[in-house]
Amino acid sequence: MTEVKRKVFGQMPQEEGGGVVEKFILKSDSVKVEILSLGCIIAALETKGRDGEFSDVVLGFDTLEGYTRKHPYFGAIVGRVANRIANGRFAVNGKEYQLFLNNGPNSLHGGARGFDKVLWSPQVLQNGVCFFRLSPDGEEGYPGDLKVWVTYTLSGGELAINYRAQTSKTTPINLTNHAYFNLAGQGSQDIYDHEISVEADSSLPVDDTKIPTGGWCGARGSVEAVLRMSFCGYRGTALPGQE
């Protein structure tokens, strides 16, 4: 059985609209997750380790201030389009659209004010919470009124995220959650010695601006990689250099 609670987490600065940010706490016997109405952010995810003790395995901030300042999309929903659009341009039905460039020559994660930076309207469910927002036609250069629902549900040890979108015009959309993980838990060292294995037949090479080159690289068996993240295990009120 999942317990669902809601509480006030803080208030946005006046220049950001001054709205109230809520925190939703989903808790089962083995998992506890905290989700904000700002950007549908997963602020904390606690789960039991081998020792049976709970530990927070995602990066985030303890206060709203950290999320209102520049940060690398900790735990947020990013969109309309996650990742990069080359030169911030795309064409639909013969019409070309120009997006805001916020990552060198490209548009990244929805532009200057993507889904991670806005307040969503929450609805509490029996075992989770559903967030909704309307992205108006022309927002960040994208066509069409876009209705988006992001639903988090917790069932036992499984946290599920469901994305649903409905648009009035043909538009690109590619939603994802941008959580950073340190499976050793909060307060542990970096993850330079963590390894992952990806079952893949090929990989997609990118150029210097992280745009796919258009070719494929073959891979035999699994692709093993060592995770590299200089701020893994970080939790506080500001990123290094922002104090």
Side-chain angles (χ1 to χ4, degrees):
M1 183 175 180
T2 301
E3 178 183 5
V4 182
K5 294 182 178 180
R6 69 190 299 176
K7 60 190 297 186
V8 173
F9 185 66
Q11 187 166 4
M12 295 293 289
Q14 287 303 316
E15 59 269 23
E16 298 282 343
V20 174
V21 179
E22 291 187 281
K23 178 197 289 185
F24 296 83
I25 304 168
L26 316 182
K27 185 177 180 181
S28 69
D29 291 338
S30 56
V31 173
K32 176 184 174 184
V33 59
E34 299 179 0
I35 308 162
L36 307 182
S37 57
L38 172 64
C40 303
I41 290 170
I42 296 178
L45 177 58
E46 298 182 13
T47 186
K48 289 183 179 179
R50 294 188 183 94
D51 57 4
E53 298 296 323
F54 278 92
S55 185
D56 186 3
V57 296
V58 299
L59 277 65
F61 299 99
D62 294 325
T63 64
L64 178 60
E65 181 184 8
Y67 293 108
T68 58
R69 300 168 72 177
K70 185 177 181 180
H71 66 92
Y73 305 93
F74 281 147
I77 295 298
V78 292
R80 291 188 185 188
V81 174
N83 215 331
R84 294 159 180 83
I85 294 180
N87 303 310
R89 291 197 300 267
F90 64 89
V92 174
N93 297 328
K95 181 178 179 179
E96 187 170 284
Y97 294 87
Q98 178 64 57
L99 308 177
F100 183 84
L101 304 181
N102 63 327
N103 185 251
N106 307 317
S107 180
L108 174 68
H109 296 336
R113 194 167 186 265
F115 289 178
D116 60 295
K117 297 178 179 65
V118 297
L119 287 175
W120 293 62
S121 300
Q123 178 185 357
V124 173
L125 307 176
Q126 184 175 2
N127 64 337
V129 57
C130 177
F131 296 97
F132 169 81
R133 85 171 297 255
L134 170 64
S135 174
D137 186 16
E139 184 174 60
E140 294 298 322
Y142 288 94
D145 288 330
L146 183 73
K147 296 178 180 179
V148 184
W149 295 263
V150 177
T151 303
Y152 293 88
T153 53
L154 179 62
S155 300
E158 180 183 86
L159 174 65
I161 309 176
N162 180 272
Y163 308 92
R164 178 185 169 212
Q166 184 180 71
T167 181
S168 62
K169 297 178 181 178
T170 302
T171 185
I173 181 168
N174 179 37
L175 303 174
T176 194
N177 180 276
H178 207 283
Y180 291 79
F181 288 87
N182 184 341
L183 300 183
Q186 179 182 336
S188 63
Q189 299 299 313
D190 58 45
I191 61 171
Y192 289 167
D193 61 344
H194 291 201
E195 296 185 1
I196 62 172
S197 179
V198 180
E199 296 295 329
D201 296 324
S202 59
S203 61
L204 187 65
V206 296
D207 63 20
D208 292 340
T209 67
K210 299 184 180 179
I211 294 296
T213 61
W216 294 90
C217 286
R220 299 181 63 183
S222 63
V223 178
E224 293 191 356
V226 177
L227 304 182
R228 299 293 184 184
M229 193 183 306
S230 60
F231 42 75
C232 274
Y234 180 80
R235 173 168 293 274
T237 57
L239 284 173
Q242 294 184 341
E243 296 83 359

